[in-house]
């Protein structure tokens, strides 16, 4: 399971946009050598998630995703457009 702490930067209805800083998520991931979700000069990524806990803008939250789901999403995002 990949877990990171982020900050809610937008929220509407049941969706939250969360800013997560690049730290631990990449260092422990098996896909770190071929997956580059961050540009060279970026230190954070924005994640859109279902807001089940009704977090508000400015709240700090833990974002968790199973590693297999992350790899699948990375494949769809980065490899499928090439095909």
């Amino acid at each position: 399971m990949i877990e990171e702490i982020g900050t809610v930067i937008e929220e509407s209805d049941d969706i939250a946009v969360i800013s997560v800083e690049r730290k631990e998520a990449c260092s422990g991931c098996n896909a770190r050598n071929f997956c580059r979700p961050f540009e060279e000069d970026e230190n954070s990524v924005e994640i859109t998630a279902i807001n089940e806990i009704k977090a508000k803008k400015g709240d700090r939250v833990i974002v968790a995703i199973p590693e297999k789901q992350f790899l699948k999403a990375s494949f769809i995002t980065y490899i499928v457009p090439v095909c």
Side-chain angles (χ1 to χ4, degrees):
M1 181 80 62
I2 297 171
E3 293 184 355
E4 282 295 333
I5 297 174
T7 303
V8 177
I9 57 174
E10 285 182 43
E11 42 98 6
S12 64
D13 298 326
D14 293 333
I15 302 294
V17 179
I18 304 159
S19 177
V20 178
E21 290 184 27
R22 176 174 28 181
K23 293 187 294 192
E24 299 299 319
C26 295
S27 66
C29 179
N30 292 331
R32 70 184 170 273
N33 293 324
F34 65 87
C35 176
R36 300 281 188 250
F38 302 94
E39 297 297 326
E40 293 293 324
D41 60 343
E42 289 185 14
N43 289 322
S44 65
V45 65
E46 291 181 5
I47 299 170
T48 302
I50 297 171
N51 190 1
E52 294 178 347
I53 62 170
K54 305 297 182 205
K56 301 292 181 197
K57 186 175 181 176
D59 287 353
R60 303 274 293 163
V61 296
I62 296 175
V63 178
I65 184 170
E67 194 168 310
K68 285 185 179 183
Q69 290 297 102
F70 180 77
L71 291 174
K72 187 185 293 185
S74 296
F75 179 81
I76 291 169
T77 302
Y78 297 106
I79 303 301
V80 171
V82 173
C83 301

